[in-house]
Amino acid sequence: MTTLAANKPAYDGKTLDLTGKSGARAFKNTLATVLIVLCFLVALVPLLWILWTVISKGYHLLLDPNWWSQSQRGVTVRRVGGGAYHAIMGTLIMALICAAIAVPIAILGAIYLVEYGKGTKAAKVVSFMIDILTGVPSIVAALFIYAVWITVFGFNRVGFAVSLSLVLLMLPVVLRSTEEMLKLVPDELREASYALGVPKWKTILKVVVPTAFGGIITGVMLGLARVMGETAPLLILVGYSKNINLNPFEGFMGALPTMINQDRTELALQPAADRVWAAALTLILLVLLLNLLARVIARFSTIKSK
């Protein structure tokens, strides 16, 4: 014991500092920060370039009130005039029908995977099928609906068929985002509700879903942004019409993607080129407005702690 005590180094009274950074660690941290900022700026350049191009070439038609109130009926590619009312309404109608079908299924599926189906074979099957749907191209979804809706059942090409194909594209986006948001809800909230004698279904309805509501809404908006710009389902499942048609179960319908596709072959003509850029900017603004609306709804619907 005496020998060990003699060999033990004397305490010099200085506290060991574990908070400081060595030169190598500080250099690596700075280098990583610089690389992340550079990558962000590199990714930002094409985004700003695209936005500036679309805004600079398409904004002037959006300032015309006729753009929001008239259709392209009787307007040829060489003529100036008309509006995008038919395409705006067609896009919104088909997207809202798609959301009305996909969102409830996605939310219920996510609740099952997180709250009820942990470790079960059924949950693994559902998760596997959602992973498959995530990678399905839009044209494959459109061809599947074409085979069922038109070939098997003999229905006509209508806007509702487009909504059905968009459901296949929107469903995995909303389900996965909702699933992740539900997983982020602390288990303590569930346990506190169970301790008060609240049934599981009511706990999910009154505690879990409202807590994750902001993230769920964000996922829904991501899904809508994903499907509103799709062109392949529109080309395959419904024809483009320059007339105003608000009935998704009858006749051809206009939509902003197909309006862009209609005039893109005549970009050498200035009126057609102007309508292409204006329709693209209108589509961007619609997605932006829907996202802002979702943010407002999520802000006033979130559970606030007192």
Side-chain angles (χ1 to χ4, degrees), residues 91-155:
T91 298
L92 290 176
I93 289 171
M94 287 183 279
L96 291 178
I97 292 175
C98 168
I101 299 173
V103 172
I105 298 175
I107 293 177
L108 291 175
I111 290 174
Y112 171 75
L113 291 177
V114 176
E115 303 293 338
Y116 293 98
K118 291 181 179 179
T120 62
K121 291 183 178 180
K124 292 179 181 178
V125 171
V126 172
S127 183
F128 177 71
M129 297 305 296
I130 292 300
D131 289 338
I132 292 177
L133 281 178
T134 303
V136 171
S138 59
I139 191 170
V140 175
L143 290 173
F144 172 74
I145 297 299
Y146 184 92
V148 176
W149 181 263
I150 297 175
T151 306
V152 175
F153 292 106
F155 298 137

Side-chain angles (χ1 to χ4, degrees), residues 171-292:
L171 182 62
V173 177
V174 179
L175 192 148
R176 283 304 184 200
S177 62
T178 303
E179 181 184 2
E180 294 303 320
M181 291 301 105
L182 294 179
K183 288 180 179 179
L184 292 177
V185 177
D187 288 335
E188 288 79 4
L189 294 178
R190 298 178 177 89
E191 293 168 359
S193 180
Y194 298 152
L196 294 173
V198 180
K200 186 170 184 176
W201 69 268
K202 189 172 289 187
T203 298
I204 295 171
L205 187 63
K206 297 292 186 179
V207 178
V208 177
V209 172
T211 303
F213 188 74
I216 294 173
I217 289 295
T218 302
V220 172
M221 290 302 104
L222 288 174
L224 278 176
R226 163 81 168 84
V227 301
M228 286 180 67
E230 290 293 345
T231 308
L234 294 166
L235 295 176
I236 294 173
L237 297 171
V238 67
Y240 174 70
S241 173
K242 293 185 176 183
N243 300 326
I244 298 174
N245 178 20
L246 305 182
N247 185 359
F249 297 96
E250 183 178 357
F252 292 169
M253 290 188 73
L256 289 170
T258 44
M259 182 178 178
I260 296 171
N261 181 73
Q262 180 75 12
D263 288 333
R264 69 175 178 81
T265 57
E266 302 292 343
L267 289 179
L269 303 175
Q270 193 60 41
D274 291 341
R275 282 191 288 268
V276 166
W277 291 112
L281 180 57
T282 303
L283 184 59
I284 293 174
L285 291 178
L286 283 180
V287 175
L288 176 62
L289 290 175
L290 287 175
N291 276 277
L292 293 177

Side-chain angles (χ1 to χ4, degrees), residues 52-120:
W52 170 251
T53 303
V54 175
I55 293 173
S56 62
K57 294 186 177 183
Y59 80 94
H60 58 280
L61 280 184
L62 272 64
L63 301 179
D64 186 357
N66 292 333
W67 178 259
W68 305 98
S69 60
Q70 295 183 6
S71 67
Q72 288 290 312
R73 181 177 182 179
V75 179
T76 63
V77 291
R78 298 178 180 273
R79 282 184 55 190
V80 177
Y85 178 78
H86 66 298
I88 295 172
M89 294 305 298
T91 298
L92 290 176
I93 289 171
M94 287 183 279
L96 291 178
I97 292 175
C98 168
I101 299 173
V103 172
I105 298 175
I107 293 177
L108 291 175
I111 290 174
Y112 171 75
L113 291 177
V114 176
E115 303 293 338
Y116 293 98
K118 291 181 179 179
T120 62

